[in-house]
Amino acid sequence: MQIRPIQPADDSALYHIIQTDLQAAGLALPGTAYDDPELATLSQFYAAQANRQYFVVVNAQREVIGGAGVAAYDAANGVAELQKLYLRADARGQGLSYQLLQHVEAFARQAGYRQLYLETHHRLAAALHVYHRAGFRLLAGPLRVAEHPTMDRFMVKDLG
């Protein structure tokens, strides 16, 4: 497996992975990443600013099997957001989420962020398990108005 920054050729695979995962969880709804206007062109979105990045996982067959991004959430207070951490169903259970998180956290630290925030949903039990195990703590609500109002779990991690 290889983890690298997103390229334009990766957009279609990631679009499919994210939409398929959200459909499977019953979250193909407005107010989730399913509805994000940049979903079909993630490479352009993350290339547009130096303080954001998206990493993809590529298997031995050179197929994109997942990814995760990071972008400013509250830059004035040093808070970045973990965005769109999704893996193809056949790529789960191999520790790839943790490897993606390591890349995201390293980028966030290098970009000067002190915290990493995320929004998720209670139906995404495997994701919640990963985030808890990776050191994120549950918040009572969003840090500010939720980017994805359908999401109902909010977490943060100090990058110290």
Side-chain angles (χ1 to χ4, degrees), residues 103-146:
H103 280 77
V104 164
E105 290 175 16
F107 179 88
R109 281 187 199 94
Q110 182 181 6
Y113 297 113
R114 297 184 307 275
Q115 288 187 312
L116 192 58
Y117 168 78
L118 67 89
E119 300 172 353
T120 190
H121 196 276
H122 72 271
R123 290 185 196 163
L124 302 173
L128 287 167
H129 172 78
V130 166
Y131 300 143
H132 177 73
R133 191 164 173 229
F136 285 84
R137 65 182 186 281
L138 191 63
L139 300 171
L143 288 179
R144 57 181 199 191
V145 176

Side-chain angles (χ1 to χ4, degrees), residues 32-134:
T32 69
Y34 190 88
D35 218 21
D36 283 355
E38 73 274 2
L39 193 58
T41 55
L42 287 178
S43 62
Q44 289 177 20
F45 176 80
Y46 286 95
Q49 293 181 14
N51 65 348
R52 57 172 89 148
Q53 182 62 267
Y54 196 92
F55 297 95
V56 296
V57 181
V58 180
N59 66 13
Q61 292 75 39
R62 298 185 182 201
E63 300 169 318
V64 172
I65 58 172
V70 60
Y73 180 79
D74 181 356
N77 290 305
V79 182
E81 182 181 24
L82 172 64
Q83 300 177 335
K84 297 171 182 60
L85 172 52
Y86 291 93
L87 292 169
R88 238 172 41 185
D90 63 344
R92 296 182 194 139
Q94 302 175 43
L96 296 173
S97 293
Y98 300 103
Q99 292 176 43
L100 282 165
L101 281 170
Q102 288 175 349
H103 280 77
V104 164
E105 290 175 16
F107 179 88
R109 281 187 199 94
Q110 182 181 6
Y113 297 113
R114 297 184 307 275
Q115 288 187 312
L116 192 58
Y117 168 78
L118 67 89
E119 300 172 353
T120 190
H121 196 276
H122 72 271
R123 290 185 196 163
L124 302 173
L128 287 167
H129 172 78
V130 166
Y131 300 143
H132 177 73
R133 191 164 173 229

